[in-house]
Amino acid sequence: MTRPLPAVIAAAQNAAHRMADRHTPFVMNDWYVAAFADDIKEQLLARTLLGRRLVFYRTRAGQVVALEDRCPHRSMPLSAGTLTQDTIVCGYHGLRFNAEGDCIEVPSQANCPKNVGIRSYRTHERGAVVWIWMGEAELADLSKLPPQDWMESAEWERSQGYLSLQGSYVRLHENLLDLTHLSFLHAKSFGTPDYAKAAFESVIGDGQFALLRNVVPTTLPPVWAIPTGLTGQGQAARIVRSEFRSLGLHEVSVTFYDCHLPENDRPQFRIRTAHMPTPETATSTHYFIVHGRDFALDDPETTRFMHAQLFVAFQEDVDGLALQEQALASTPAEDLYEFSVAADAPAVAMRRYVLARQRQEAPD
Ligand code: FES
Ligand SMILES: [Fe+2]
């Protein structure tokens, strides 16, 4: 076996230090998905996001509340308490907190100590998901949330799902910007052998990274061949744009059409997938997915079929990334190196950007 020269390893390790990885502290000043909207009900929901324990609930008026999940009296998780009239009563000694996180009752005495409470976080419910801002409250700005009109439009049919990834969110964003893995990791689901070799174009901007790939002609896998009717060998065009839009949102847009029909006389079938990774810990990630299509609307059987097929593929990513994390964790730091290839350029640029964002927030 060829063992790289120490100088090659040192160069690779040097390059890795300029990119975000699982050791990079979280970027706090951004919007991340906290939950699907219908996961937050009039009951307490505990969830760890960006390394912090939070408790969520919905008020009787329908407002989402996100609070620190730790009683400031003796640190009992408030999620182990009870929700009563839009307030949480701690399950240990009964201190009560309102939706703003203020302590409003101490059962064992007449008054609450002044200025005692827990942190509350700003949330924003939009379409199927609830976004959260966990950084500096005064920087929370809805204009920093990328638009996703299709996620609310009646012209798109949608389904959603959640996967728990035992791996870093940075690696998930990288996976989504690297579509050469489709021919291999997804060989049995939605990858085709021609995918890895198809020409691609990279778009590397300030905070925006995309990979464009036109696979023409190609044969579609069943997940799309069946709903579009493009079932012939070499019949289809598969035009893909995979884009990192923010730390909490990666979007894949694909157009399919019959590449043997004239340009102005061929139906186009579009799908979109919002991949929304939210770090749970350094090596685990909440992976929220919303998938949409602009054809076969009001066809629940097609929705069920595509959802089931797609989630087989997304599970392959989750399983692969968990294995990758295990391999990383069990390699001594001095032996750890990874080299990049040309197709990694957008992912490398994205990881450098994530590191720069973190350093900007918390300079050494
Ligand atoms: S720990 Fe919550 S009331 Fe004492
Ligand atoms: Fe994948």
Side-chain angles (χ1 to χ4, degrees):
M1 188 200 78
T2 309
R3 168 104 188 132
L5 296 170
V8 173
I9 296 179
Q13 288 176 334
N14 218 4
H17 285 140
R18 297 195 296 272
M19 297 192 278
D21 61 17
R22 67 195 199 285
H23 301 298
T24 307
F26 302 127
V27 176
M28 304 304 290
N29 288 323
D30 217 323
W31 293 99
Y32 294 90
V33 171
F36 283 121
D38 46 20
D39 289 342
I40 303 184
K41 305 187 172 74
E42 285 181 44
Q43 61 192 47
L44 301 176
L45 169 73
R47 183 160 282 173
T48 297
L49 305 177
L50 282 68
R52 285 146 173 84
R53 280 184 73 114
L54 304 183
V55 56
F56 293 87
Y57 63 92
R58 203 177 273 282
T59 65
R60 291 163 295 175
Q63 242 1 74
V64 172
V65 177
L67 300 170
E68 183 185 350
D69 189 15
R70 187 184 72 83
C71 179
H73 177 226
R74 285 295 180 269
S75 297
M76 182 64 118
L78 289 170
S79 55
T82 50
L83 179 66
T84 320
Q85 298 185 320
D86 299 342
T87 62
I88 302 183
V89 177
C90 179
Y92 201 175
H93 312 97
L95 268 69
R96 183 191 293 265
F97 300 88
N98 66 16
E100 287 72 47
D102 306 318
C103 177
I104 54 168
E105 188 186 340
V106 179
S108 56
Q109 62 187 47
N111 300 312
C112 295
K114 288 257 178 299
N115 302 319
V116 167
I118 45 172
R119 188 161 173 199
S120 69
Y121 295 91
R122 172 132 179 235
T123 59
H124 178 67
E125 188 165 351
R126 191 175 77 178
V129 295
V130 173
W131 295 87
I132 188 165
W133 182 279
M134 293 178 60
E136 294 168 60
E138 56 280 10
L139 298 181
D141 173 0
L142 281 175
S143 70
K144 291 179 184 153
L145 195 52
Q148 293 163 287
D149 300 340
W150 66 273
M151 274 179 65
E152 291 168 83
S153 160
E155 284 156 32
W156 288 77
E157 193 73 44
R158 286 171 294 274
S159 72
Q160 65 191 47
Y162 169 89
L163 295 168
S164 173
L165 164 63
Q166 298 308 303
S168 155
Y169 81 105
V170 176
R171 296 277 175 168
L172 176 56
H173 271 303
E174 181 176 70
N175 163 286
L176 293 161
L177 273 177
D178 142 41
L179 298 181
T180 58
H181 76 269
L182 265 77
S183 301
F184 301 95
L185 191 62
H186 302 302
K188 295 196 183 108
S189 56
F190 60 21
T192 50
D194 50 357
Y195 208 95
K197 294 195 185 309
F200 64 90
E201 197 185 315
S202 306
V203 180
I204 298 177
D206 184 21
Q208 300 287 300
F209 309 95
L211 195 67
L212 285 61
R213 182 166 251 133
N214 296 353
V215 196
V216 190
T218 190
T219 304
L220 293 184
V223 58
W224 298 306
I226 293 169
T228 60
L230 300 172
T231 50
Q233 288 288 318
Q235 183 190 8
R238 183 171 175 180
I239 313 295
V240 185
R241 180 184 180 90
S242 185
E243 185 172 10
F244 171 100
R245 301 189 66 196
S246 78
L247 281 140
L249 173 65
H250 187 111
E251 202 165 81
V252 178
S253 314
V254 190
T255 303
F256 306 105
Y257 55 81
D258 186 331
C259 59
H260 302 303
L261 291 177
E263 193 173 340
N264 48 11
D265 192 25
R266 60 190 182 203
Q268 301 219 346
F269 303 90
R270 293 187 300 162
I271 59 158
R272 294 235 169 110
T273 313
H275 299 267
M276 297 169 284
T278 304
E280 179 183 39
T281 67
T283 54
S284 63
T285 303
H286 299 287
Y287 185 9
F288 301 94
I289 300 163
V290 175
H291 181 263
R293 64 176 192 274
D294 74 346
F295 55 95
L297 303 179
D298 303 317
D299 179 355
E301 189 40 52
T302 295
T303 306
R304 267 193 294 278
F305 172 75
M306 288 178 72
H307 184 90
Q309 298 258 319
L310 286 169
F311 272 75
V312 167
F314 299 148
Q315 186 66 49
E316 289 167 345
D317 289 308
V318 165
D319 293 345
L321 289 169
L323 288 173
Q324 182 191 39
E325 203 68 55
Q326 289 165 22
L328 285 166
S330 58
T331 307
E334 63 275 17
D335 287 351
L336 185 58
Y337 77 96
E338 293 178 320
F339 69 94
S340 298
V341 298
D344 295 322
V348 167
M350 177 276 295
R351 288 177 60 183
R352 288 187 176 154
Y353 165 78
V354 174
L355 184 63
R357 283 283 305 275
Q358 187 277 320
R359 293 205 167 144
Q360 190 185 354
E361 241 179 60
D364 291 338

